[in-house]
Amino acid sequence: MSVDPANASPEIENLLAETRTFAPSAAFAAQANATAEMYAQADADYEAFWAQLARERIDWIEPFHTTLEWDLPFAKWFVGGKLNISENCLDRHVRNGLGDKVAYHWIGEPGDTRTLTFSNLLREVSKTANALKALGIGTGDRVAIYMPMIPELPIAMLACARIGAPHTVVFGGFSAEALSDRINDAEAKLVITADGGWRRGKPAALKPAVDEALKSTPTVEHVLVARRLGDDLEGGTAMTAPRDVWWSDIVDGQAADCAPVPLDAEHMLYLLYTSGTTAKPKGIMHTTGGYLLGAAVTHQMVFDVKPDDVYWCAADVGWVTGHSYIVYGPLANATTGVMYEGTPDAPDWGRWWQIIEDYKVSILYCAPTAIRAHMKQGPQYAAAHDLSSLRVLGSVGEPINPEAWLWYHEHIGAGKTPIVDTWWQTETGQIMITPLPGVTTTKPGSATFPFPGIGVDVVDGDGQSVPLGGGGYLVLTRPWPAMLRGIYGDPERYKQTYWSRFPGMYFAGDGAKRDEDGYLWLLGRVDDVMNVSGHRISTIEVESALVDDKQVAEAAVVGKNDPLTGQAIFAFVIPKIGVDPSEALAAELREHVAKVIGPIAKPKFLMFTTDLPKTRSGKIMRRLLRDIAEGRPLGDTTTLADGGVVETIRSNSGSAEE
Ligand code: WTA
């Protein structure tokens, strides 16, 4: 949802209608990891709060001497400390007698399974780290990872972390072009990929996209290819010697031990690219010590994770949710996790519920778009399975509508499981606004309160705090351990994007409202970023992809509210003179966007037009395009250069929906 917070009445009316509250049960509260006292304790001295947790929760090779160096907007946490993340996620658990505990129950889409204990994982990670070294990768070298949801994906990440080679995971659904852009920005020396993966019952090749991407990536020396499909992939996988190496050929023969490299707390752990308000994705930098602490502490408290829990985050590792809450947070806490390769509808909509029943999953973390998709199918799929093992449910990625919250609560949580609606971002690295189960009384649709130690405010356009009951812009007022350290190679853009709109405060790009009780309600993006199925896509990236097609003269893209995906992409396209604005062209343009960015960015609606509403200075008035896309009455058109344009577009024969 893209909203002008000053004018956010539709959402607010809807939210105000929701007055039900859900207090934690006494039984849950009595056993909860988090306590109400944590808020006051953290507020009194947030640096001391994090420092104490850092000493308790992390194994340091060398202790840190300074908790925080804050040279706004540049933070350094746990300065002087040395550690290794893979050591914290694996070796120490094995040393503590947890070697036989399951780290991942992995489930392939066709039904094949793999079980990896902490000992197995340590062994595989060590061998892979040795293989990386054999391929010429050392501390500081960047490695791009482009893989399906197979165990080799977290193994590859941890192997990089073990030797201090920052990884950049590129979501497997992104196109070859998106991959090469990221490889080039990161100047990666190695790409780790797979022959492919299973998707909706079919083998889907991945390696050809890497081959395509590598036509324009001069820094890449090798490609390490895991075998997932093998003979199931018709025509096999083309390998270019000596560049391409099969995983089994180089990893299997390596020694099973590899000393973890002691790394500075501020050593770059990874880059993750995310969409912003310009066409160029931003390489968000995360470092070692603070990130690990933020991910591990929030994971343990927000999901109330206990040693016997079976925890399942149903995101893809290619997004930040997977980084923090499938890999680093859960493994640091020695948690048993579930990892599933495929889609929720394969072979039918009972798949997730079957997995929960089979593995006695006790904590489920997923996105509202998935909940709405299940809702649309009806509760009979969940009802056919024993979900009684569930004790905490989580939501992330976009605002969860009260209806979806209540459906989740009733049909998945048996009307009693606490729900944690967690707000955070790629940039924040860790959950920032969330209920604490056992402590917080929830309201369906509200992410409630900042996590202890986190500073949040809702401000007006001048940066003034908005009184309770009011809406405005969400800002973060204090540094936090897992915060981004910047945008790779572009400190100016970092300052400009996050710290210039409201001096001294981090601007998240989201609108929010704080109700009379102080509860926070997220209202969606206020900038030119869309949120489609919980994935951030910038309007300008899609516009650039459209204009990249030779038949297009100009394009403008907006997000349209969508009952299933939160927002859907609506593109207004002006074809070049002489080009026929046909259905066939619309289909071709959609495919073009898929090729340039990835299928997730394909416009759902595409309308051909001969003109676009612009201000006298030539800026496209997206606000008006949004009104058209939503079929709403038009907002203020006084700054429009040509008042007739909008009516002409609106009276157009309508848009073609895919
Ligand atoms: C949105 C995903 C409302 C928000 C972890 C944010 C949410 C963007 C929530 C970050 C939530 C995430 N309620 N909105 N619980 N969680 N968002 O970087 O607009 O992929 O700015 O990180 O998702 O998306 P990102």
Side-chain angles (χ1 to χ4, degrees):
M1 267 174 287
S2 195
V3 288
D4 174 357
N7 188 10
S9 45
E11 280 81 8
I12 291 172
E13 272 167 30
N14 177 16
L15 300 176
L16 285 181
E18 185 45 65
T19 52
R20 292 174 65 178
T21 58
F22 294 82
S25 72
F28 196 103
Q31 59 83 63
N33 291 346
T35 61
E37 291 72 53
M38 280 170 42
Y39 288 107
Q41 188 204 336
D43 253 357
D45 185 346
Y46 72 90
E47 284 186 41
F49 171 76
W50 292 118
Q52 188 189 335
L53 287 165
R55 290 191 192 96
E56 289 169 8
R57 304 288 174 98
I58 293 181
D59 274 20
W60 296 93
I61 297 168
E62 269 176 45
F64 55 93
H65 53 70
T66 307
T67 303
L68 172 65
E69 271 177 22
W70 182 218
D71 180 12
L72 197 144
F74 297 98
K76 287 186 180 158
W77 282 86
F78 312 123
V79 184
K82 287 207 189 311
L83 73 160
N84 184 284
I85 279 210
S86 85
E87 208 266 343
N88 272 272
C89 289
L90 304 170
D91 310 53
R92 66 164 167 168
H93 304 321
V94 174
R95 272 200 307 272
N96 293 338
L98 297 175
D100 292 337
K101 185 173 178 177
V102 174
Y104 290 119
H105 291 291
W106 178 83
I107 301 138
E109 201 194 73
D112 50 335
T113 60
R114 278 168 73 183
T115 308
L116 284 147
T117 64
F118 280 92
S119 292
N120 300 150
L121 200 54
L122 174 58
R123 192 184 152 82
E124 295 308 316
V125 166
S126 301
K127 281 167 40 180
T128 309
N130 286 330
L132 296 185
K133 289 194 242 175
L135 290 169
I137 301 300
T139 305
D141 288 337
R142 274 84 60 211
V143 174
I145 302 178
Y146 182 66
M147 296 184 104
M149 285 282 284
I150 57 176
E152 283 78 6
L153 172 49
I155 291 170
M157 292 162 76
L158 291 158
C160 287
R162 199 161 185 88
I163 61 171
H167 55 71
T168 182
V169 180
V170 179
F171 172 56
F174 276 136
S175 67
E177 278 190 60
L179 175 61
S180 66
D181 284 351
R182 286 156 175 76
I183 291 173
N184 285 331
D185 190 79
E187 298 179 289
K189 272 174 78 173
L190 173 72
V191 178
I192 308 181
T193 188
D195 54 358
W198 289 92
R199 207 80 193 149
R200 294 209 164 84
K202 291 196 204 82
L206 200 57
K207 174 74 168 34
V210 176
D211 294 334
E212 181 65 31
L214 262 54
K215 288 181 184 159
S216 56
T217 56
T219 55
V220 174
E221 293 169 6
H222 287 290
V223 182
L224 178 58
V225 189
R227 199 180 265 106
R228 165 64 182 138
L229 296 174
D231 294 342
D232 290 319
L233 196 60
E234 216 178 301
T237 297
M239 298 287 278
T240 308
R243 186 194 72 182
D244 301 350
V245 186
W246 283 109
W247 183 287
S248 50
D249 287 347
I250 188 156
V251 174
D252 289 0
Q254 296 292 334
D257 60 331
C258 168
V261 175
L263 298 165
D264 199 271
E266 284 296 317
H267 182 80
M268 187 159 86
L269 172 66
Y270 69 78
L271 281 172
L272 190 58
Y273 286 83
T274 191
S275 296
T277 54
T278 73
K280 191 177 183 297
K282 302 173 287 200
I284 301 300
M285 289 196 283
H286 281 294
T287 58
T288 302
Y291 175 79
L292 177 62
L293 184 76
V297 167
T298 50
H299 176 255
Q300 197 257 357
M301 306 232 183
V302 172
F303 301 106
D304 192 51
V305 179
K306 300 288 196 295
D308 291 337
D309 273 310
V310 179
Y311 160 90
W312 181 18
C313 169
D316 192 288
V317 172
W319 310 109
V320 74
T321 306
H323 284 58
S324 298
Y325 299 108
I326 295 179
V327 183
Y328 293 113
L331 293 178
N333 292 327
T335 304
T336 294
V338 164
M339 191 174 159
Y340 170 56
E341 178 186 32
T343 57
D345 57 346
D348 62 52
W349 283 93
R351 188 63 187 264
W352 275 24
W353 320 123
Q354 182 72 53
I355 291 174
I356 290 174
E357 177 174 339
D358 290 348
Y359 290 87
K360 303 204 170 14
V361 171
S362 52
I363 303 167
L364 175 67
Y365 190 31
C366 67
T369 189
I371 300 164
R372 288 191 298 264
H374 284 293
M375 238 172 117
K376 191 173 160 195
Q377 302 303 319
Q380 67 278 14
Y381 292 98
H385 294 276
D386 177 7
L387 306 183
S388 60
S389 53
L390 287 171
R391 59 179 209 91
V392 178
L393 301 175
S395 168
V396 61
E398 52 179 314
I400 178 164
N401 4 24
E403 307 88 87
W405 195 105
L406 290 164
W407 190 89
Y408 199 25
H409 176 73
E410 187 179 331
H411 295 289
I412 310 304
K416 54 176 199 267
T417 311
I419 295 182
V420 287
D421 172 10
T422 62
W423 179 91
W424 59 295
Q425 307 180 295
T426 304
E427 292 87 341
T428 70
Q430 64 178 80
I431 291 170
M432 302 294 280
I433 304 175
T434 178
L436 292 178
V439 176
T440 313
T441 293
T442 51
K443 297 187 184 185
S446 167
T448 73
F449 304 104
F451 187 83
I454 301 299
V456 170
D457 203 355
V458 179
V459 299
D460 63 18
D462 299 324
Q464 298 302 311
S465 197
V466 169
L468 292 189
Y473 303 95
L474 185 79
V475 293
L476 303 172
T477 56
R478 290 175 191 157
W480 63 99
M483 70 188 279
L484 75 166
R485 299 303 195 261
I487 296 174
Y488 191 60
D490 203 344
E492 262 321 300
R493 190 173 174 202
Y494 168 63
K495 287 190 206 164
Q496 197 55 37
T497 308
Y498 304 105
W499 301 91
S500 67
R501 179 78 172 77
F502 304 106
M505 296 184 259
Y506 171 94
F507 175 44
D510 283 14
K513 183 192 123 128
R514 215 163 11 192
D515 71 16
E516 304 294 343
D517 303 322
Y519 281 68
L520 289 158
W521 301 79
L522 278 305
L523 301 175
R525 304 289 307 180
V526 294
D527 53 17
D528 291 330
V529 176
M530 301 170 287
N531 190 329
V532 181
S533 297
H535 300 139
R536 277 161 65 178
I537 300 170
S538 93
T539 53
I540 296 150
E541 264 179 281
V542 181
E543 286 165 5
S544 304
L546 286 165
V547 176
D548 181 66
D549 189 291
K550 284 185 205 51
Q551 302 166 93
V552 174
E554 210 178 336
V557 165
V558 297
K560 171 179 161 64
N561 288 329
D562 188 274
L564 206 59
T565 57
Q567 280 192 304
I569 301 177
F570 196 124
F572 296 84
V573 176
I574 307 181
K576 283 202 178 133
I577 312 253
V579 174
D580 178 27
S582 61
E583 275 298 314
L585 177 62
E588 211 182 299
L589 294 180
R590 284 195 178 96
E591 279 319 308
H592 188 69
V593 175
K595 181 173 163 287
V596 177
I597 307 176
I600 47 167
K602 268 202 241 179
K604 180 168 179 186
F605 302 92
L606 199 147
M607 182 192 269
F608 289 110
T609 173
T610 50
D611 215 339
L612 288 167
K614 290 189 183 157
T615 60
R616 284 174 194 94
S617 61
K619 212 168 167 267
I620 293 173
M621 293 183 75
R622 278 168 217 287
R623 182 167 57 76
L624 294 179
L625 292 177
R626 276 197 287 268
D627 288 341
I628 297 171
E630 301 290 359
R632 284 194 296 245
L634 292 184
D636 187 7
T637 56
T638 43
T639 54
L640 197 60
D642 171 3
V645 171
V646 187
E647 284 314 324
T648 317
I649 301 177
R650 201 211 272 283
S651 59
N652 213 334
S653 53
S655 66
E657 184 179 342
E658 193 182 32

